[in-house]
């Protein structure tokens, strides 16, 4: 199939080209995001392949359909950036990579917890300056602490397994509880109870209308004072401005985010020569108790191999049999996944 591949970096091309030797698609790479300003690049391509910060809203999908595009292949699990009802109305197939490596994201999540807890990010910089003092680096044992896991699907379940190994007390909140997590000792409670009892809260639910700003001024007040909040899910699951206020007041004690509400303008790019115009992001970068990374939780060899192979197989299935088990329909936005 002829595919216009958007938001590609050299590493994407390496992994897709390698996997494509098995499939033989005709891949044309474009570095920019897919959005209304760039959609004309896709004209005449039966398929587009996109990533997390490409914009597939109604106007973009309409333009794609006018240009002859019939398939959207997401190189990711989350699909909050696609207007699925419009895609369906236009007769477009949308496929995704539902599970490329839950381990990649789960292991990174726990890495963020340990870094923030034991202040490894600060120790790294300090020691390189010849400062071997331990002042300000005091952490706590993970063993025995309570961790609240919001969203216990594929990634949340691996986080549960790792933290069970640490001897943490585990609380979960999910609209569809997972027996595998229960067997690991996780107890399902209401969101309010989870927030009130957890020393660490970690978010693993998708971004949907129900989860947008799940962490907001009201739910922040329900959290244990000084707790750690980790978000490797999607930026808009937290209302970042209210989290900044909570960091200033001490209500949130530690924050680790790999995703940010407005990340589309910044993440995956080297902007080190430019001024960051986003005041919320700039403010976050000033806190010693905040760790921000640029959407890298998925970024392992294993995950990139799996993403490339599944994406190209999805396209092959659509081309040859007309459907794929990884196809999205609009009900999935609120159904079990
Ligand atoms: P999944 O579908 O297996 O699990 C999501 C879980 O969230 C499900 O159990 C679902 O029932 C639950 N959920 C849905 N709505 C909810 C709600 N309103 N309240 C509580 N729980 C709710 O997905 P996954 O593979 O575990 O991935 C989770 C999310 O992680 C993805 O949607 C994506 O946004 C994000 N992600 C981030 C990265 C990264 O690199 N940072 C990589 C992959 C995925």
């Amino acid at each position: 199939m002829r595919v216009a591949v958007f938001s590609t970096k050299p590493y994407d091309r390496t992994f897709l080209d390698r996997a494509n030797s098995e499939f033989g698609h005709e891949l044309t790479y474009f570095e920019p995001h897919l959005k209304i300003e760039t959609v004309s690049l896709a004209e005449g391509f039966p398929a587009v392949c996109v990533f997390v910060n490409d914009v597939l809203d109604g106007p973009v999908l309409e333009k794609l359909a006018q240009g002859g595009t019939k398939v959207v292949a997401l190189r990711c699990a989350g699909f909050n950036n696609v207007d699925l009802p419009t895609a369906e109305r236009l007769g477009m197939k949308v496929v995704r990579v539902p599970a490329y490596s839950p381990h990649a994201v789960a292991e990174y999540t726990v890495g963020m917890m340990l870094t923030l807890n034991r202040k490894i990010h600060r120790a790294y910089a300090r020691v390189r300056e010849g400062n071997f003092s331990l002042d300000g680096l005091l952490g706590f044992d993970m063993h025995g602490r309570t961790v609240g896991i919001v969203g216990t699907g594929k990634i949340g379940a691996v986080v549960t397994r790792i933290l069970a190994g640490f001897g943490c007390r585990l609380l979960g909140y999910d609209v569809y509880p997972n027996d595998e997590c229960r067997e690991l000792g996780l107890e399902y409670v209401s969101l309010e109870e989870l927030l009130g009892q957890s020393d660490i809260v970690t978010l693993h639910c998708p971004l949907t209308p129900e989860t947008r700003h799940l962490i907001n001024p009201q739910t922040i007040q329900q959290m244990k004072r000084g707790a750690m909040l980790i978000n490797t899910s999607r930026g808009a699951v937290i209302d970042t401005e209210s989290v900044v206020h909570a960091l200033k007041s001490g209500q949130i004690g530690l924050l680790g985010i790999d995703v940010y509400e407005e990340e589309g303008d910044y993440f995956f790019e080297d902007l080190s020569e430019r001024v960051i115009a986003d005041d919320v992001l700039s403010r976050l970068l000033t806190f010693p108790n905040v760790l921000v990374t640029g959407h890298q939780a998925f970024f392992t060899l294993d995950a990139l191999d799996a993403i490339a192979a599944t994406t190209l197989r999805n396209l092959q299935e659509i081309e040859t049999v007309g459907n794929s088990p990884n196809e999205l329909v609009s009900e999935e936005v609120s159904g079990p996944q």
Side-chain angles (χ1 to χ4, degrees), residues 44-86:
F45 283 90
V48 293
C49 179
V50 296
F51 197 45
V52 290
N53 290 323
D54 291 299
V55 180
L56 291 111
D57 57 9
V60 169
L61 289 169
E62 298 273 359
K63 285 268 181 214
L64 284 174
Q66 283 164 22
T69 300
K70 293 189 164 43
V71 188
V72 173
L74 294 159
R75 304 197 295 281
C76 53
F79 48 86
N80 51 284
N81 51 340
V82 187
D83 178 347
L84 286 180
T86 300

Side-chain angles (χ1 to χ4, degrees), residues 294-321:
H295 208 137
Q296 70 173 87
F298 74 100
F299 201 55
T300 66
L301 289 169
D302 314 75
L304 291 195
D305 265 336
I307 288 171
T310 306
T311 302
L312 299 179
R313 188 170 314 106
N314 288 344
L315 286 162
Q316 187 189 47
E317 282 165 348
I318 296 287
E319 189 176 27
T320 56
V321 292

Side-chain angles (χ1 to χ4, degrees), residues 79-232:
F79 48 86
N80 51 284
N81 51 340
V82 187
D83 178 347
L84 286 180
T86 300
E88 235 170 58
R89 180 173 55 74
L90 294 168
M92 272 185 189
K93 301 270 186 192
V94 182
V95 285
R96 65 166 175 154
V97 186
Y100 44 86
S101 172
H103 303 282
V105 182
E107 290 167 11
Y108 189 84
T109 300
V110 176
M112 283 194 122
M113 289 178 193
L114 294 175
T115 303
L116 280 165
N117 170 10
R118 306 302 297 271
K119 288 127 183 100
I120 298 169
H121 56 308
R122 301 188 63 201
Y124 173 80
R126 196 182 274 197
V127 166
R128 286 170 71 98
E129 294 290 321
N131 177 355
F132 299 92
S133 151
L134 298 184
D135 286 337
L137 302 185
L138 193 63
F140 54 83
D141 284 9
M142 295 288 285
H143 180 91
R145 288 301 196 287
T146 300
V147 183
I149 300 170
V150 178
T152 53
K154 291 178 281 298
I155 295 170
V158 180
V159 170
T160 302
R161 182 171 294 279
I162 296 170
L163 295 177
F166 280 9
C168 295
R169 175 179 172 238
L170 297 165
L171 299 179
Y173 170 72
D174 197 307
V175 282
Y176 297 98
N178 181 341
D179 285 341
E180 185 193 335
C181 294
R182 278 203 179 103
E183 281 159 24
L184 289 162
L186 177 139
E187 182 192 345
Y188 282 98
V189 293
S190 68
L191 181 62
E192 192 173 348
E193 279 178 82
L194 179 149
L195 296 173
Q197 293 183 40
S198 298
D199 301 295
I200 300 173
V201 174
T202 183
L203 305 173
H204 301 290
C205 53
L207 175 61
T208 65
E210 293 76 38
T211 62
R212 178 173 292 276
H213 289 187
L214 184 93
I215 300 297
N216 56 50
Q218 193 196 337
T219 49
I220 288 170
Q221 277 319 309
Q222 294 168 355
M223 287 174 71
K224 213 166 160 176
R225 188 168 172 79
M228 180 193 298
L229 176 65
I230 302 284
N231 187 11
T232 59

